[in-house]
Amino acid sequence: MPAQAMQIRPMGEDQLAAVLAVQAACYPPSMQEPAAVVLARLRAAAATTLVACDGDAVCAYLFAYPSLLGRVTPLDAPFAPAARPDTLYLHDLAVAPQALGRGLARRLVRQLLDAAAGQGLRHAALVSVQDTRRFWEGLGFEPDAGRPPCAGLATYPGSALYMTKRLTGATPD
Ligand SMILES: CC(C)(COP(=O)(O)OP(=O)(O)OC[C@H]1O[C@@H](n2cnc3c(N)ncnc32)[C@H](O)[C@@H]1OP(=O)(O)O)[C@@H](O)C(=O)NCCC(=O)NCCS
């Protein structure tokens, strides 16, 4: 199915098993986060958690929540949405292997970045893992070199990089 025909919608709790299957296909065992944590995150941040679906099949997902610049969610930790957020924190973006390269990841990210900018959040932030720095740079994120290493970054295996982006309006194509 062409990517434009796939639907992006809020994640439902009935999609948890399918989301975990995408996670299992996209991350090594050391980065698999438990079902209970994933469900608690969905409940804490339902307005900023999306799936891309081909019919009923979940092809990709994005978990995010309103946070503060400089804060990182440690691996396996619950979300702690900020009472007075300035940043949309993108915690986990994954595309199932059979749906890679169709622009779904960018569509998911742009949808939440545009909504966050519309709500007045000034920044977006994330931890880049699995050699995705260039993917995020393509969406306007940069390594946040001026900041001391964030607490939580060390919980990620491999090279993990904190990246940020200023939100100034619609995300360019
Ligand atoms: C990273 C990921 C979400 C990208 O998914 P995708 O389906 O390739 O994304 P899109 O089709 O929207 O990608 C669009 C662009 O990003 C580029 N891209 C994708 N992954 C990339 C990577 N790892 N490094 C550099 N560029 C990358 C593509 O080449 C494409 O560029 P183009 O349009 O100029 O050709 C996917 O590879 C994935 O699920 N990885 C495993 C989970 C993961 O590591 N998530 C990121 C955590 S920070």
Side-chain angles (χ1 to χ4, degrees):
M1 178 178 279
Q4 293 307 323
M6 293 198 194
Q7 285 199 325
I8 292 182
R9 48 184 186 245
M11 188 185 294
E13 292 190 15
D14 59 337
Q15 292 170 317
L16 182 65
V19 166
L20 292 171
V22 175
Q23 177 187 235
C26 290
Y27 291 102
S30 60
M31 295 181 73
Q32 302 287 325
E33 296 185 288
V37 171
V38 176
L39 177 60
R41 288 177 178 162
L42 171 56
R43 290 176 175 169
T48 46
T49 299
L50 299 176
V51 283
C53 294
D54 180 355
D56 288 336
V58 173
C59 296
Y61 66 78
L62 173 58
F63 282 88
Y65 69 100
S67 184
L68 293 170
L69 194 63
R71 275 198 193 163
V72 161
T73 309
L75 196 65
D76 294 342
F79 288 166
R84 301 183 65 185
D86 62 11
T87 298
L88 182 72
Y89 182 80
L90 306 176
H91 176 73
D92 186 6
L93 169 69
V95 177
Q98 70 274 15
L100 281 171
R102 299 191 203 172
L104 281 180
R106 282 187 176 165
R107 278 179 64 197
L108 284 163
V109 172
R110 284 196 181 109
Q111 185 160 321
L112 286 191
L113 293 186
D114 291 349
Q119 290 160 7
L121 296 186
R122 293 187 302 156
H123 310 275
L126 56 94
V127 174
S128 165
V129 295
Q130 301 204 112
D131 202 19
T132 52
R133 172 178 173 163
R134 284 190 305 112
F135 168 79
W136 292 112
E137 285 176 340
L139 282 162
F141 286 83
E142 298 176 333
D144 197 342
R147 188 173 297 278
C150 310
L153 207 53
T155 62
Y156 290 85
S159 62
L161 180 66
Y162 185 64
M163 300 182 77
T164 62
K165 169 187 171 73
R166 277 198 70 90
L167 298 180
T168 52
T171 310
D173 286 331

